[in-house]
PDB file of all heavy atoms in Angstrom:
ATOM      1  N   SER A   1       0.830  -1.202   0.000  1.00  0.00           N
ATOM      2  CA  SER A   1       0.000   0.000   0.000  1.00  0.00           C
ATOM      3  C   SER A   1       0.865   1.252   0.000  1.00  0.00           C
ATOM      4  O   SER A   1       0.535   2.235  -0.654  1.00  0.00           O
ATOM      5  CB  SER A   1      -0.937  -0.015   1.190  1.00  0.00           C
ATOM      6  OG  SER A   1      -0.242   0.060   2.411  1.00  0.00           O
ATOM      7  N   GLY A   4       2.245   1.834  -3.514  1.00  0.00           N
ATOM      8  CA  GLY A   4       1.220   2.399  -4.386  1.00  0.00           C
ATOM      9  C   GLY A   4       0.972   3.863  -4.107  1.00  0.00           C
ATOM     10  O   GLY A   4       0.845   4.672  -5.025  1.00  0.00           O
ATOM     11  N   SER A   5       0.915   4.228  -2.823  1.00  0.00           N
ATOM     12  CA  SER A   5       0.707   5.631  -2.469  1.00  0.00           C
ATOM     13  C   SER A   5       1.880   6.491  -2.920  1.00  0.00           C
ATOM     14  O   SER A   5       1.687   7.582  -3.454  1.00  0.00           O
ATOM     15  CB  SER A   5       0.511   5.775  -0.962  1.00  0.00           C
ATOM     16  OG  SER A   5      -0.761   5.308  -0.597  1.00  0.00           O
ATOM     17  N   GLY A   8       1.575   6.799  -6.680  1.00  0.00           N
ATOM     18  CA  GLY A   8       0.451   7.653  -7.064  1.00  0.00           C
ATOM     19  C   GLY A   8       0.701   9.124  -6.778  1.00  0.00           C
ATOM     20  O   GLY A   8       0.397  10.000  -7.593  1.00  0.00           O
ATOM     21  N   VAL A   9       1.290   9.403  -5.614  1.00  0.00           N
ATOM     22  CA  VAL A   9       1.604  10.792  -5.264  1.00  0.00           C
ATOM     23  C   VAL A   9       2.677  11.350  -6.197  1.00  0.00           C
ATOM     24  O   VAL A   9       2.632  12.524  -6.575  1.00  0.00           O
ATOM     25  CB  VAL A   9       2.037  10.872  -3.779  1.00  0.00           C
ATOM     26  CG1 VAL A   9       2.624  12.221  -3.442  1.00  0.00           C
ATOM     27  CG2 VAL A   9       0.857  10.578  -2.883  1.00  0.00           C
ATOM     28  N   PRO A  37      -3.845  10.221  -3.341  1.00  0.00           N
ATOM     29  CA  PRO A  37      -3.415   8.815  -3.328  1.00  0.00           C
ATOM     30  C   PRO A  37      -2.682   8.388  -2.063  1.00  0.00           C
ATOM     31  O   PRO A  37      -2.451   7.197  -1.865  1.00  0.00           O
ATOM     32  CB  PRO A  37      -2.487   8.714  -4.546  1.00  0.00           C
ATOM     33  CG  PRO A  37      -2.852   9.855  -5.414  1.00  0.00           C
ATOM     34  CD  PRO A  37      -3.284  10.939  -4.483  1.00  0.00           C
ATOM     35  N   GLN A  40      -4.319   5.556   0.633  1.00  0.00           N
ATOM     36  CA  GLN A  40      -4.207   4.104   0.582  1.00  0.00           C
ATOM     37  C   GLN A  40      -3.047   3.603   1.445  1.00  0.00           C
ATOM     38  O   GLN A  40      -3.121   2.525   2.024  1.00  0.00           O
ATOM     39  CB  GLN A  40      -4.051   3.604  -0.859  1.00  0.00           C
ATOM     40  CG  GLN A  40      -5.354   3.567  -1.618  1.00  0.00           C
ATOM     41  CD  GLN A  40      -5.716   4.900  -2.239  1.00  0.00           C
ATOM     42  OE1 GLN A  40      -5.274   5.959  -1.820  1.00  0.00           O
ATOM     43  NE2 GLN A  40      -6.538   4.869  -3.268  1.00  0.00           N
ATOM     44  N   VAL A  72      -4.837  -4.425  -3.742  1.00  0.00           N
ATOM     45  CA  VAL A  72      -5.943  -3.483  -3.998  1.00  0.00           C
ATOM     46  C   VAL A  72      -5.491  -2.065  -3.704  1.00  0.00           C
ATOM     47  O   VAL A  72      -5.723  -1.147  -4.496  1.00  0.00           O
ATOM     48  CB  VAL A  72      -7.191  -3.846  -3.163  1.00  0.00           C
ATOM     49  CG1 VAL A  72      -8.243  -2.751  -3.248  1.00  0.00           C
ATOM     50  CG2 VAL A  72      -7.779  -5.166  -3.612  1.00  0.00           C
ATOM     51  N   PHE A  73      -4.820  -1.865  -2.581  1.00  0.00           N
ATOM     52  CA  PHE A  73      -4.347  -0.531  -2.221  1.00  0.00           C
ATOM     53  C   PHE A  73      -3.323  -0.024  -3.230  1.00  0.00           C
ATOM     54  O   PHE A  73      -3.353   1.143  -3.619  1.00  0.00           O
ATOM     55  CB  PHE A  73      -3.729  -0.533  -0.826  1.00  0.00           C
ATOM     56  CG  PHE A  73      -4.705  -0.791   0.300  1.00  0.00           C
ATOM     57  CD1 PHE A  73      -4.257  -1.271   1.511  1.00  0.00           C
ATOM     58  CD2 PHE A  73      -6.066  -0.562   0.144  1.00  0.00           C
ATOM     59  CE1 PHE A  73      -5.133  -1.500   2.550  1.00  0.00           C
ATOM     60  CE2 PHE A  73      -6.953  -0.802   1.176  1.00  0.00           C
ATOM     61  CZ  PHE A  73      -6.479  -1.271   2.396  1.00  0.00           C
ATOM     62  N   LEU A  74      -2.416  -0.880  -3.638  1.00  0.00           N
ATOM     63  CA  LEU A  74      -1.385  -0.481  -4.598  1.00  0.00           C
ATOM     64  C   LEU A  74      -2.018  -0.028  -5.911  1.00  0.00           C
ATOM     65  O   LEU A  74      -1.732   1.066  -6.409  1.00  0.00           O
ATOM     66  CB  LEU A  74      -0.423  -1.644  -4.855  1.00  0.00           C
ATOM     67  CG  LEU A  74       0.710  -1.352  -5.820  1.00  0.00           C
ATOM     68  CD1 LEU A  74       2.015  -1.912  -5.284  1.00  0.00           C
ATOM     69  CD2 LEU A  74       0.434  -1.945  -7.184  1.00  0.00           C
ATOM     70  N   ILE A  75      -2.889  -0.850  -6.459  1.00  0.00           N
ATOM     71  CA  ILE A  75      -3.488  -0.537  -7.764  1.00  0.00           C
ATOM     72  C   ILE A  75      -4.401   0.679  -7.668  1.00  0.00           C
ATOM     73  O   ILE A  75      -4.370   1.567  -8.531  1.00  0.00           O
ATOM     74  CB  ILE A  75      -4.229  -1.761  -8.322  1.00  0.00           C
ATOM     75  CG1 ILE A  75      -3.216  -2.859  -8.663  1.00  0.00           C
ATOM     76  CG2 ILE A  75      -5.059  -1.397  -9.549  1.00  0.00           C
ATOM     77  CD1 ILE A  75      -3.825  -4.204  -8.967  1.00  0.00           C
ATOM     78  N   SER A  76      -5.199   0.772  -6.609  1.00  0.00           N
ATOM     79  CA  SER A  76      -6.116   1.913  -6.509  1.00  0.00           C
ATOM     80  C   SER A  76      -5.348   3.219  -6.312  1.00  0.00           C
ATOM     81  O   SER A  76      -5.751   4.257  -6.843  1.00  0.00           O
ATOM     82  CB  SER A  76      -7.133   1.711  -5.387  1.00  0.00           C
ATOM     83  OG  SER A  76      -6.528   1.754  -4.119  1.00  0.00           O
ATOM     84  N   ALA A  77      -4.237   3.181  -5.590  1.00  0.00           N
ATOM     85  CA  ALA A  77      -3.447   4.409  -5.389  1.00  0.00           C
ATOM     86  C   ALA A  77      -2.811   4.873  -6.694  1.00  0.00           C
ATOM     87  O   ALA A  77      -2.809   6.066  -7.002  1.00  0.00           O
ATOM     88  CB  ALA A  77      -2.372   4.182  -4.332  1.00  0.00           C
ATOM     89  N   VAL A  78      -2.280   3.937  -7.469  1.00  0.00           N
ATOM     90  CA  VAL A  78      -1.665   4.299  -8.747  1.00  0.00           C
ATOM     91  C   VAL A  78      -2.717   4.846  -9.707  1.00  0.00           C
ATOM     92  O   VAL A  78      -2.521   5.891 -10.342  1.00  0.00           O
ATOM     93  CB  VAL A  78      -0.920   3.095  -9.363  1.00  0.00           C
ATOM     94  CG1 VAL A  78      -0.493   3.379 -10.792  1.00  0.00           C
ATOM     95  CG2 VAL A  78       0.281   2.724  -8.501  1.00  0.00           C
ATOM     96  N   ARG A  79      -3.841   4.171  -9.798  1.00  0.00           N
ATOM     97  CA  ARG A  79      -4.891   4.629 -10.720  1.00  0.00           C
ATOM     98  C   ARG A  79      -5.481   5.960 -10.261  1.00  0.00           C
ATOM     99  O   ARG A  79      -5.793   6.818 -11.083  1.00  0.00           O
ATOM    100  CB  ARG A  79      -5.983   3.564 -10.846  1.00  0.00           C
ATOM    101  CG  ARG A  79      -5.487   2.237 -11.402  1.00  0.00           C
ATOM    102  CD  ARG A  79      -4.807   2.365 -12.730  1.00  0.00           C
ATOM    103  NE  ARG A  79      -5.806   2.638 -13.750  1.00  0.00           N
ATOM    104  CZ  ARG A  79      -5.543   2.886 -15.012  1.00  0.00           C
ATOM    105  NH1 ARG A  79      -4.299   2.922 -15.427  1.00  0.00           N
ATOM    106  NH2 ARG A  79      -6.496   3.116 -15.865  1.00  0.00           N
ATOM    107  N   GLN A  80      -5.620   6.140  -8.958  1.00  0.00           N
ATOM    108  CA  GLN A  80      -6.111   7.428  -8.460  1.00  0.00           C
ATOM    109  C   GLN A  80      -5.096   8.525  -8.761  1.00  0.00           C
ATOM    110  O   GLN A  80      -5.480   9.641  -9.107  1.00  0.00           O
ATOM    111  CB  GLN A  80      -6.372   7.333  -6.957  1.00  0.00           C
ATOM    112  CG  GLN A  80      -7.039   8.571  -6.390  1.00  0.00           C
ATOM    113  CD  GLN A  80      -7.348   8.414  -4.925  1.00  0.00           C
ATOM    114  OE1 GLN A  80      -6.511   7.951  -4.152  1.00  0.00           O
ATOM    115  NE2 GLN A  80      -8.555   8.795  -4.531  1.00  0.00           N
ATOM    116  N   GLY A  81      -3.824   8.212  -8.659  1.00  0.00           N
ATOM    117  CA  GLY A  81      -2.788   9.185  -9.004  1.00  0.00           C
ATOM    118  C   GLY A  81      -2.861   9.589 -10.463  1.00  0.00           C
ATOM    119  O   GLY A  81      -2.711  10.769 -10.799  1.00  0.00           O
ATOM    120  N   GLN A  82      -3.095   8.629 -11.330  1.00  0.00           N
ATOM    121  CA  GLN A  82      -3.212   8.938 -12.759  1.00  0.00           C
ATOM    122  C   GLN A  82      -4.435   9.808 -13.021  1.00  0.00           C
ATOM    123  O   GLN A  82      -4.373  10.760 -13.802  1.00  0.00           O
ATOM    124  CB  GLN A  82      -3.284   7.640 -13.565  1.00  0.00           C
ATOM    125  CG  GLN A  82      -1.996   6.862 -13.545  1.00  0.00           C
ATOM    126  CD  GLN A  82      -2.139   5.458 -14.103  1.00  0.00           C
ATOM    127  OE1 GLN A  82      -3.221   4.862 -14.087  1.00  0.00           O
ATOM    128  NE2 GLN A  82      -1.036   4.919 -14.599  1.00  0.00           N
TER     129      GLN A  82
END
Side-chain angles (χ1 to χ4, degrees):
S1 65
S5 286
V9 169
Q40 281 85 337
V72 170
F73 293 157
L74 181 136
I75 293 169
S76 68
V78 170
R79 299 304 288 176
Q80 187 177 45
Q82 292 169 334

